[in-house]
Amino acid sequence: MIKLNINDEISRLRAVILGRADSNGPIPKLENAYDPKSAEHIKGGTYPKDEDMVDEMEAVAAVFKKYDVKVYRPHSIKDYNQIFSRDIAFVIEDKFIIANILEDRSMEIEAIEHVINHIDSSKIIKFPENAHIEGGDVMPWGDYIFVGAYYGEDYPSFITARTNMNAVKHLQKLFPHKKVKSFNLKKSNTVADENALHLDCCFQPLGRGKAIIHKEGFLIEEEYEWLINFFGKENCFHINKQEMYNMNSNIFSISPNVVISEKNFTRLNTWLREQGFTVEEVPYAEISKQEGLLRCTTMPLIRD
C-alpha cells in the first residue's frame, strides 16, 4: 500500500506521479484550446511536439532519480494529453482527492488506476459535482490550505476558471482543523499574460521561508497583501508579467533546500541560489506553451 503523506509544498519528496507526453494526439483545433497560451501557439504554428516534451519530462525524471524519489507514470492513452498530472488529483495529509476536471479530460484519472489501487479506498475522496477544483489551485501549507479560485458570478463563462467557491467550502468541511484561505485570481479566456490559470501560476511557497509571487495575478489587493505579510516582504520574489507568462512561479520543491526550475529562468534561478537553494535546472519551455510547468506536471504522493 502507498501511505500518502502531504502536509506542505516543500518537505522531502519520496513519491510522485509525473505526467507523460508521448501520445498527445494532433494539434487541437483553436476552438478546443483549454487556455489562451495554448491557443496562441496553435495560431502561431508553434504548438509543442510530443518528442520535445518527452525529452523535457525525462530530464525531470532524471532529477527525481538523482534524489531517490519513487516515480509513478500514468498508463499511456493514445492521442490524449496526459502531461498535467496535478490537475486531475491532489493529496492533502493522507487523503487522495480526485478533482472535478474538464469533462474532456476525464480519462486521465483512469490512466493512474494502477497507483490508486494501492491507496486505502477509505482515503480516496471525490468532490460533489457542483464543487469544481483542480490541483494547481490547492497548496497545503502546515495549518493552512491555500486555494486559488474565482469568485465572480460570471464563473461559467471562463474556461480558465477551474476552482469555484463551492469547492473552497467543501475543502473546509473535509479539513475542519485547517484554515482554508482562498484567493480570487485574475482570469482571461483570450490573453495569456492576463490569466492566472491556477494559484501556482502566480504564487508558490518555497523552503527557507521564501515565496514567489505575481501581484497582478490577484484580483483583490488585500488577499495579495495577506500573503506578503504572511511570508514577509523581504522573503518574496516578485515576478513581472512576462515572467508570469513564462511560468516562473511554477517550479517544484524536492526538499526545503532543493528546487527544480526551468533553465531559462535566469533572474529567478540566480535569486534562488543567492538564498541558499540548490537549483536543478531542466528544459521545460515547450511544455510551458500549454500554460503549465513543473508543479503542474507533478503530483506528490509522499513527503516526509
Side-chain angles (χ1 to χ4, degrees), residues 24-30 32-35 37-50 52-53 81 83-84 285-291:
N24 286 290
I27 295 170
K29 291 182 177 161
L30 191 55
N32 294 333
Y34 293 137
D35 62 83
K37 195 169 179 186
S38 293
E40 193 179 287
H41 288 287
I42 293 166
K43 268 194 277 195
T46 51
Y47 198 74
K49 297 183 175 76
D50 288 6
D52 294 334
M53 293 189 290
N81 190 324
I83 294 168
F84 298 118
E286 292 305 302
I287 283 170
S288 82
K289 291 176 178 180
Q290 293 182 66
E291 207 153 340

Side-chain angles (χ1 to χ4, degrees), residues 24-77:
N24 286 290
I27 295 170
K29 291 182 177 161
L30 191 55
E31 61 269 23
N32 294 333
Y34 293 137
D35 62 83
K37 195 169 179 186
S38 293
E40 193 179 287
H41 288 287
I42 293 166
K43 268 194 277 195
T46 51
Y47 198 74
K49 297 183 175 76
D50 288 6
E51 57 267 31
D52 294 334
M53 293 189 290
V54 166
D55 287 347
E56 290 182 345
M57 297 193 91
E58 288 310 311
V60 173
V63 175
F64 286 143
K65 186 175 181 183
K66 175 180 175 181
Y67 286 91
D68 198 26
V69 175
K70 170 76 176 167
V71 177
Y72 297 91
R73 306 297 290 267
H75 289 319
S76 184
I77 303 171

